[in-house]
Amino acid sequence: MTKRSIYVAYTGGTIGMQKTANGFVPVSGFLTDCVQSMPEFYHDEMPEFFIHEYSPLIDSSNMAPTDWQMIANDIQANYEKYDGFVILHGTDTMAYTASALSFMLQGLSKPVIVTGSQIPLAQLRSDGQTNLLNSLYIAANYPVAEVCLFFNNKLFRGNRSTKAHADGFDAFASPNFPMLLEAGIKINLKAGKITQPTGAPLEVVTISPQPVGVVTLYPGISTDIFNNILQQPVKALILLTFGVGNAPQDKKLLDTLKQADERGIILVNLTQCFQGKVNMGGYATGNALAQAGVISGADMTIEAALAKLHYLLSIGLTPAQIKQRMQENLVGELTAD
């Protein structure tokens, strides 16, 4: 029986870093050498894999939409040659990249798993070995054909994931959607569905960097902050509101938002709460935002909402079309009413 073959793209991040006098730094070739020195990666039950290290390696704090495009194009260029894809990435913006790829990879019929580690692979007690080993094994044997994020024995839908812990091994969570798979003593499918490759070609959407603002509301926030942010060239603004989507019922603020909406700026309401969804009809304060043209982001993570805005703003839609599609479940990123 022919072994499955997995393409591994090492974009950068902690997993491949080497200890130096100045701290941990990414070093070209070090990750590949490290993996090759670990016999467990070449166990009979493991798939074949090929590691491509990006040059230069990218610290995930420096990731930008142009890098999302590079990763998506890399997957497309190798799509026919491999059975699945593992993207090694720094943890800081991993959920943003996983979210973006979910919108960019149209017609995906093979697994794409984004993973990394909190401790470098070469270090004692590294979580990188478990994360990479499981990602390779799952991509080959449990091919859930969507963009996923694997961390600490859990496989999440990429556009439902968020970084929940700065320095713990259980670094990621999926607050509003169950995990796809759990790798315990046995590997158990949860919400994940294994699909057979369709043979259909992968289409990659080209996105361009978009000016999107994000504002966290707090008691007493000044309308001047919104006036400043909503200047050109901003095309969209994410409001992180209270509870189920509430904001101060301040006439000046509501007028500012209404004028922005009339100028074609997309205004998206997300809750500051870790879990739950926006319901702007529940309270007068939320309803006032809706009257001003603000749309509900439902239960999307901020990572998913930001990635979705980049996607929709890049494909030539009108503001009205973007507002409509932001509220639709396109690739599993939100729970429809």
Side-chain angles (χ1 to χ4, degrees):
M1 182 175 169
T2 306
K3 280 192 172 189
R4 294 278 179 104
S5 183
I6 308 299
Y7 181 84
V8 181
Y10 174 44
T11 67
T14 298
I15 192 167
M17 287 188 177
Q18 186 174 14
K19 194 171 188 177
T20 71
N22 296 317
F24 288 106
V25 295
V27 176
S28 180
F30 183 67
L31 175 96
T32 300
D33 291 343
C34 197
V35 169
Q36 288 175 348
S37 72
M38 295 179 169
E40 50 271 40
F41 284 101
Y42 300 93
H43 189 282
D44 286 345
E45 294 179 35
M46 289 294 289
E48 294 179 351
F49 59 91
F50 169 76
I51 300 175
H52 169 59
E53 295 196 15
Y54 283 20
S55 181
L57 295 168
I58 310 161
D59 186 295
S60 74
S61 296
N62 294 326
M63 276 280 171
T66 49
D67 300 306
W68 301 340
Q69 191 71 53
M70 179 173 63
I71 295 167
N73 291 345
D74 189 18
I75 292 169
Q76 184 179 42
N78 291 282
Y79 194 69
E80 298 304 320
K81 292 183 274 187
Y82 295 91
D83 299 301
F85 300 84
V86 172
I87 312 300
L88 296 178
H89 194 288
T91 59
D92 285 350
T93 61
M94 186 184 289
Y96 287 96
T97 296
S99 295
L101 291 176
S102 75
F103 295 105
M104 297 170 71
L105 302 175
Q106 306 265 321
L108 187 65
S109 65
K110 297 178 181 182
V112 174
I113 300 177
V114 187
T115 192
S117 70
Q118 295 283 61
I119 298 176
L121 186 61
Q123 295 299 301
L124 186 67
R125 298 181 54 253
S126 174
D127 54 330
Q129 185 175 336
T130 300
N131 288 342
L132 178 52
L133 199 73
N134 275 295
S135 294
L136 288 167
Y137 187 83
I138 290 165
N141 296 289
Y142 295 84
V144 177
E146 58 178 283
V147 179
C148 311
L149 187 153
F150 184 88
F151 224 87
N152 199 37
N153 296 318
K154 302 180 188 77
L155 186 73
F156 301 117
R157 175 167 290 166
N159 57 34
R160 292 291 195 143
S161 61
T162 189
K163 191 169 185 185
H165 201 305
D167 55 9
F169 286 144
D170 207 15
F172 288 88
S174 177
N176 292 311
F177 194 78
M179 71 179 83
L180 301 177
L181 175 153
E182 186 170 25
I185 293 173
K186 292 184 178 179
I187 292 179
N188 295 312
L189 279 169
K190 302 289 186 180
K193 292 183 174 66
I194 293 174
T195 56
Q196 299 300 316
T198 61
L202 176 72
E203 292 184 26
V204 171
V205 176
T206 299
I207 66 165
S208 52
Q210 299 293 332
V212 177
V214 181
V215 176
T216 300
L217 271 65
Y218 55 85
I221 188 169
S222 169
T223 303
D224 292 339
I225 290 173
F226 290 89
N227 284 325
N228 289 334
I229 291 175
L230 289 166
Q231 301 302 315
Q232 286 292 331
V234 169
K235 293 183 181 177
L237 179 67
I238 296 171
L239 304 168
L240 297 176
T241 58
F242 308 124
V244 292
N246 300 314
Q249 245 182 320
D250 179 288
K251 186 177 185 305
K252 281 175 63 180
L253 170 60
L254 295 170
D255 286 347
T256 295
L257 294 175
K258 186 168 177 51
Q259 289 161 16
D261 175 62
E262 289 168 353
R263 296 199 306 273
I265 297 174
I266 314 301
L267 305 170
V268 183
N269 188 352
L270 295 183
T271 175
Q272 293 176 22
C273 299
F274 184 68
Q275 204 164 3
K277 69 187 296 184
V278 165
N279 172 17
M280 295 200 304
Y283 295 89
T285 47
N287 188 57
L289 289 178
Q291 296 295 321
V294 180
I295 59 171
S296 170
D299 60 355
M300 279 190 287
T301 62
I302 184 172
E303 295 93 337
L306 191 98
K308 190 173 182 178
L309 283 167
H310 272 82
Y311 160 61
L312 293 175
L313 287 164
S314 295
I315 59 174
L317 302 178
T318 65
Q321 289 171 324
I322 293 172
K323 287 174 76 169
Q324 180 182 338
R325 296 192 72 181
M326 276 300 290
Q327 297 173 87
E328 295 172 354
N329 180 27
L330 303 183
V331 287
E333 75 282 3
L334 63 80
T335 306
D337 290 327

